[in-house]
Amino acid sequence: MSTKSTKTAVLERRQVLKGVGFGALALAGTGLASREALATPEKATEYLAKMTGGAASKEGRVTVKLPEIAENGRTVPITISIDSPMTDNDYVKSVFVVAEGNPSPEVISFTMSPAMGKAEVSTRMRLGKTQNVRAAAIMSDGSVFTGTKQVKVTIGGCGG
Amino acid sequence: MSKKPRVKVPKQAKAGELIQLKTLMSHVMETGNRKDSKTGKLIPRQIINKFVCKFNGKEVMSAELQPAIAANPYIAFYAKATESGTFDFEWTEDGGEVIKASGEITVS
C-alpha cells in the first residue's frame, strides 16, 4: 500500500516535470518567433544605400575584421579599418556598419575626422546568428567604398 | 545600475605620433527585444546611443550606437598627437543622460 502510493507520487512528479519542460519549450518557441522580424541582406543593402545617399559604391579599401567563428554572439570583437591617408584633403567622413541577420540591420556608425590620423575603430557587437557584417565608408571626395566579412555564430546573442 | 566610464589615454606622446584611445562604459545596453521571464513583457530599450570624443574642444570622432552593440560598450580608435591637451569623452543614454570622462596628454 505504502509502496504503491510512493510510486504514484513519483510518477506524478515526473509528469509535472515533463509538463513544465514542454511549457518552457513552448515559451522559448514563441520568444523566438516574436524575434523573427529579422534584418535581411536586402534590408541591410537598403539601409546602407539610404545612409550613403544612394551613391555608387565600390568594393575595397574597407576591411571588416571579425573572428571566423564567434562562439558567443553576445559580445564579438569587431574592427573596421579603412585605407585612407586621413589628411585634411583626403579622409574618411563617415562609416556605417550593418549586420544581415540581426533583429535590425544597423549596428553602429562613425563620424570621422583627419584628427584621427588613422581610420580604424574597434568595438564589440552582438550577433544573432551566422551572417555577413558589412561596412560602407564615405570618403571626403564623396566616393563610397564597402567591405564585408562573414562570421559563424555558435550561440546567438540577441535577446533572451 | 552602474554607469561607470573608463578611458585610457597615453600620458605622453611625441608630436605627430599616432596614439590609441580606449574607452569602456559599464552599461547593460538593453536591446528592447528581450522579454521579462516572469511577466512575459518586453523590457524597454535602454542603451547608450551616442559617443563623442573631442580634443581641446574639437571633435575627433563620434559614433551612433544601436542595440546591436554589446553590453558595456567598448570603443577604441586612434588620434594624431599634435599638442598637449585634454581628450573629453561623452556618452549619451536613451532619455538624454550624459556621462563624461576625460584624459590628459602631454605632447613633446
Side-chain angles (χ1 to χ4, degrees):
Chain A
M1 191 57 189
S2 68
T3 42
K4 199 186 170 194
S5 74
T6 338
K7 220 174 182 180
T8 346
V10 167
L11 266 176
E12 268 169 8
R13 200 180 61 188
R14 272 195 195 151
Q15 269 162 350
V16 168
L17 280 175
K18 222 172 168 185
V20 168
F22 277 121
L25 264 176
L27 255 173
T30 50
L32 275 175
S34 69
R35 273 189 259 117
E36 277 310 312
L38 285 177
T40 57
E42 292 73 34
K43 272 188 192 164
T45 306
E46 211 173 275
Y47 175 77
L48 279 186
K50 198 177 104 196
M51 288 299 135
T52 54
S57 64
K58 277 176 268 183
E59 281 274 330
R61 289 180 72 178
V62 179
T63 310
V64 180
K65 223 172 97 187
L66 275 162
E68 289 291 328
I69 300 169
E71 283 181 12
N72 184 353
R74 280 177 176 219
T75 170
V76 187
I78 173 171
T79 298
I80 303 110
S81 50
I82 301 108
D83 180 14
S84 163
M86 292 305 267
T87 57
D88 286 344
N89 302 321
D90 186 0
Y91 61 97
V92 181
K93 268 165 95 176
S94 43
V95 180
F96 299 91
V97 184
V98 293
E100 292 184 352
N102 271 0
S104 59
E106 55 276 51
V107 176
I108 192 166
S109 62
F110 300 97
T111 306
M112 296 189 169
S113 78
M116 289 178 77
K118 182 179 180 184
E120 182 176 307
V121 285
S122 303
T123 183
R124 291 176 193 145
M125 69 179 292
R126 290 176 169 133
L127 286 163
K129 60 173 186 180
T130 296
Q131 57 181 291
N132 288 326
V133 176
R134 283 193 272 159
I138 308 177
M139 306 297 175
S140 51
D141 65 0
S143 59
V144 179
F145 287 87
T146 60
T148 306
K149 172 87 172 112
Q150 199 204 42
V151 55
K152 291 193 169 71
V153 179
T154 319
I155 305 166
C158 292
Chain B
M1 191 171 31
S2 66
K3 284 176 241 169
K4 207 178 128 228
R6 270 183 283 170
V7 298
K8 218 174 193 177
V9 177
K11 287 198 166 58
Q12 285 172 345
K14 290 194 180 91
E17 196 184 324
L18 207 56
I19 55 162
Q20 194 180 25
L21 306 163
K22 291 180 178 178
T23 71
L24 186 69
M25 178 76 192
S26 301
H27 196 279
V28 289
M29 295 293 277
E30 190 61 62
T31 60
N33 295 328
R34 247 163 34 103
K35 273 182 184 164
D36 188 309
S37 56
K38 283 184 194 125
T39 62
K41 280 186 187 154
L42 277 180
I43 304 168
R45 181 185 125 151
Q46 183 71 351
I47 67 163
I48 297 284
N49 59 51
K50 199 167 168 60
F51 169 79
V52 184
C53 169
K54 288 177 182 171
F55 179 66
N56 287 346
K58 197 171 171 251
E59 187 175 308
V60 176
M61 194 274 273
S62 70
E64 307 248 341
L65 287 69
Q66 302 291 341
I69 294 300
N72 303 326
Y74 164 84
I75 300 174
F77 55 101
Y78 290 88
K80 204 169 199 173
T82 49
E83 54 178 0
S84 299
T86 310
F87 283 99
D88 287 301
F89 306 90
E90 267 185 27
W91 293 259
T92 309
E93 193 187 24
D94 283 349
E97 191 189 333
V98 177
I99 302 121
K100 294 179 184 184
S102 64
E104 300 211 355
I105 186 167
T106 308
V107 175
S108 53

